[in-house]
Amino acid sequence: MIADYTEAPVCHIDDLIDGELKEVRVGDTDILLVRADGQYYALHPKCSHYQGPLVKGLLNGHRLVCPWHNACFDVRDGHRLEAPALNGLPTHEVRIEGDQVFVRLTTDKESLENPMSAPDEANPETYVIVGSGGAGAFAAEGMREGGFTGKIVMLTESSEGPYDRPNCSKDYLQGKAPDEWMALRTDEFYKDYGIEVRTGQHATALDPVMKRIELASGETITYDKALLCSGGKPNMLPGVASDLNGVYALRSLHDSHTLRKLGQQGKRVVIIGSSFIGLEGAMSLRKLGSEVDVVGLENTPFEKILGEKIGHVVQGWHEKEGIRFHLGRQVDHLEGDDTVSAVILDNGERLSADFVLLGLGVKPRTDFLKGIALEKDGGVKTDAYLNVADDLYAAGDIAHYPTSSGLQRIEHWKVAGQQGHIAGLNMAGKETPYLLVPFFWSNQQGKRINYIGHATKVDDIIYEGDPEKDDAFLALYVQDGQIKAAAGLKRDQDIIAIRELMQEGRMPSVETVRQGVQWGKVLKID
């Protein structure tokens, strides 16, 4: 009898210890072999987000974390545990015979959806999501994962459904990512799971007492529960009034598409703002052939977040590619008739410009909320379950959520996605607190910097490796006698280990870290 499956021995039973990862091959298929709690598991070896090599990630218990963007999976069933991955990992059958570990291929898929409930027309409840960014997309799926079977309506001002916003300043802006890569899910997916995505919808008022949302079209929608994830509105140039054409923000897919067309014409662009979006935009537009000048208030890019030393290094990467910096400077005014032609700095310097890109951050988009107290920056305060008021939740860029260090509001894609997912679960009745340590990544001239934690001020920085000399380094940020954040280049496993330690409340003391730490070993100590 000929077997209709492919199976092969992949290792000796004692070849791996708990926590080890190894890529093996069964037939023509690469497999990730994992050992956890004395058991072997076999999974698809690439992250379902951007196909990151999971063998270079880290295993903490049953949590498998991707090295690139810290998506997280359960090795026992392959389910996705954390954003930014939407899908889980296919698994394969493992058996032990004698002292050999065998893997049998059971699927040829590269990813799988987490289990979700089907919509039920008999359920009269309606849940409304205001916003279609990462928080909204993950929330809709979280509701179905949590067992909600009623109607889900997603309202978005955009002309598109949920898409991969981080790519708007990177590969998509550079013309390397086609339009079809950008959607997070297909139209058929949302139809199958009863998620009504309504584009071009501007919410003008939300009344939490009446549970009513008014739209610019004049339509009124009532809800049983609602999620606020309306995101951020790009900041304009402070103190400089201008109605000139040719001044852009980079927040949406439409913005990115417009800027890409301009960049491909080799035009002169002045970017105002020297933080992450500003410099990712500078990188991408320069790759398209534009002449790029960057204006920043700080004397060094990222000085307040990453520190002066790393900021200088990153600036050098961009300068090698022909990007010019004008730092410690403010914009005095813009010149032009109908369209901007130059940016005049506070020292009188004139920078010619065919267009201007503002990279000045965002403020919470919450002006449509009625009867809800706002924080000083316009955000909304939630409890640990992301609840704002009765049957009203918030996630993403607008949410101030409680932590051991007080309220935090974080503008990161992974945070938004995971908050949305947990808010969706909670709306479905799961009562899950949001406890995750923030994570974000940035691509600076092809070098990925990963950052975890949150420091409002930096008292000291502990370096492992020298950013000015080494190709790989780790920076640990000290605030009030504790390590509150870390940034790394080519130190992916260490970044994961530190984040897991932070989440478990097991970070070593500053004194211990100064003496030298092997982060993976510290993580494995119970």
Side-chain angles (χ1 to χ4, degrees):
M1 181 177 181
I2 301 175
D4 59 355
Y5 55 82
T6 302
E7 181 182 77
V10 292
C11 73
H12 187 275
I13 194 171
D14 295 324
D15 282 353
L16 301 187
I17 62 173
D18 283 349
E20 276 198 273
L21 311 171
K22 181 182 181 181
E23 270 204 13
V24 297
R25 198 164 179 84
V26 177
D28 296 327
T29 302
D30 292 325
I31 302 293
L32 180 68
L33 191 67
V34 174
R35 178 166 170 162
D37 292 339
Q39 300 291 317
Y40 278 93
Y41 302 94
L43 307 97
H44 184 70
K46 303 292 185 183
C47 179
S48 59
H49 178 230
Y50 274 0
Q51 300 298 300
L54 293 173
V55 72
K56 295 183 179 180
L58 199 67
L59 186 66
N60 181 24
H62 297 110
R63 290 167 50 84
L64 174 61
V65 185
C66 175
W68 287 3
H69 310 113
N70 278 209
C72 183
F73 308 90
D74 190 325
V75 296
R76 294 170 294 187
D77 53 22
H79 289 171
R80 181 258 299 139
L81 297 177
E82 294 181 19
L86 281 162
N87 287 345
L89 304 171
T91 59
H92 301 282
E93 184 179 326
V94 177
R95 68 180 180 87
I96 308 297
E97 183 176 316
D99 61 358
Q100 294 292 307
V101 178
F102 286 78
V103 172
R104 177 181 298 182
L105 301 184
T106 54
T107 178
D108 58 0
K109 296 181 179 179
E110 294 186 354
S111 64
L112 80 166
E113 297 161 10
N114 278 17
M116 288 187 279
S117 298
D120 182 358
E121 292 184 0
N123 187 333
E125 288 190 297
T126 297
Y127 289 3
V128 176
I129 301 168
V130 182
S132 65
F138 278 89
E141 300 193 26
M143 293 171 191
R144 292 292 186 231
E145 287 180 41
F148 177 64
T149 60
K151 186 176 182 180
I152 299 175
V153 178
M154 183 185 296
L155 304 174
T156 175
E157 294 185 11
S158 173
S159 59
E160 299 90 9
Y163 57 85
D164 183 8
R165 178 168 287 151
N167 216 338
C168 289
S169 59
K170 304 178 183 72
D171 284 356
Y172 185 79
L173 180 54
Q174 295 170 29
K176 295 179 180 178
D179 289 350
E180 54 267 26
W181 284 13
M182 297 299 285
L184 295 182
R185 294 292 198 189
T186 63
D187 293 341
E188 289 75 19
F189 173 90
Y190 291 118
K191 182 178 180 180
D192 289 345
Y193 286 104
I195 300 166
E196 182 183 352
V197 180
R198 297 185 55 181
T199 58
Q201 304 294 317
H202 174 60
T204 57
L206 184 148
D207 184 333
V209 177
M210 301 299 294
K211 295 186 177 181
R212 183 174 61 203
I213 301 171
E214 297 177 10
L215 303 179
S217 64
E219 182 183 359
T220 297
I221 298 175
T222 58
Y223 63 83
D224 293 284
K225 294 183 182 180
L227 173 66
L228 305 171
C229 50
S230 43
K233 181 179 180 179
N235 291 321
M236 295 295 100
L237 198 57
V240 179
S242 174
D243 56 358
L244 294 175
N245 294 319
V247 179
Y248 301 92
L250 176 50
R251 179 68 179 173
S252 69
L253 187 63
H254 174 75
D255 294 338
S256 185
H257 188 263
T258 299
L259 290 166
R260 184 173 66 185
K261 285 186 175 180
L262 292 169
Q264 287 169 337
Q265 298 172 34
K267 291 181 177 292
R268 299 166 299 179
V269 56
V270 174
I271 296 177
I272 303 173
S274 58
S275 195
F276 293 101
I277 290 298
L279 289 194
E280 286 185 357
M283 167 188 70
S284 297
L285 292 169
R286 180 62 182 156
K287 288 181 182 296
L288 290 174
S290 289
E291 291 186 34
V292 181
D293 287 274
V294 174
V295 178
L297 282 173
E298 294 182 312
N299 292 319
T300 308
F302 315 120
E303 186 174 330
K304 293 180 180 178
I305 302 173
L306 299 179
E308 184 177 356
K309 182 179 287 189
I310 295 177
H312 275 305
V313 171
V314 176
Q315 180 179 341
W317 297 341
H318 289 282
E319 287 175 334
K320 286 181 181 178
E321 300 302 323
I323 294 171
R324 299 181 290 264
F325 284 84
H326 310 266
L327 300 174
R329 300 262 64 94
Q330 296 186 54
V331 174
D332 185 83
H333 65 279
L334 306 182
E335 280 186 356
D337 294 327
D338 294 326
T339 301
V340 66
S341 60
V343 176
I344 312 303
L345 303 185
D346 56 354
N347 62 351
E349 186 177 3
R350 183 181 188 276
L351 305 177
S352 297
D354 297 307
F355 66 102
V356 169
L357 171 59
L358 302 180
L360 300 172
V362 301
K363 59 183 176 183
R365 190 189 297 269
T366 54
D367 54 352
F368 63 98
L369 300 179
K370 309 301 179 184
I372 297 175
L374 301 179
E375 299 297 298
K376 290 182 179 180
D377 62 1
V380 296
K381 180 181 177 181
T382 78
D383 65 13
Y385 300 89
L386 302 173
N387 185 245
V388 176
D390 288 345
D391 298 324
L392 185 65
Y393 295 76
D397 292 358
I398 71 171
H400 287 259
Y401 63 96
T403 72
S404 59
S405 302
L407 290 175
Q408 289 182 358
R409 186 177 70 84
I410 305 294
E411 299 169 358
H412 304 328
W413 181 254
K414 177 181 171 71
V415 171
Q418 196 60 20
Q419 284 184 350
H421 182 239
I422 288 178
L425 292 175
N426 290 337
M427 293 171 73
K430 291 301 182 182
E431 297 187 3
T432 304
Y434 181 78
L435 301 171
L436 297 185
V437 171
F439 168 91
F440 77 85
W441 75 93
S442 181
N443 184 334
Q444 300 290 325
Q445 294 298 346
K447 298 177 175 64
R448 174 173 40 83
I449 295 176
N450 285 355
Y451 183 99
I452 51 169
H454 181 66
T456 56
K457 63 183 180 70
V458 177
D459 301 324
D460 193 12
I461 304 175
I462 303 171
Y463 292 100
E464 295 183 11
D466 187 342
E468 296 174 332
K469 298 178 181 178
D470 300 334
D471 194 37
F473 60 80
L474 191 66
L476 299 119
Y477 300 95
V478 180
Q479 178 179 338
D480 299 330
Q482 295 180 309
I483 295 172
K484 294 289 189 178
L489 175 70
K490 298 184 180 179
R491 295 289 293 270
D492 296 338
Q493 290 185 336
D494 291 333
I495 285 286
I496 296 170
I498 294 168
R499 180 170 170 266
E500 296 290 300
L501 287 166
M502 286 182 174
Q503 289 187 173
E504 296 173 9
R506 296 198 291 122
M507 274 295 290
S509 68
V510 172
E511 292 73 19
T512 299
V513 173
R514 290 190 192 280
Q515 295 170 9
V517 171
Q518 291 182 282
W519 293 103
K521 287 187 177 181
V522 174
L523 180 62
K524 293 177 183 178
I525 297 173
D526 294 328

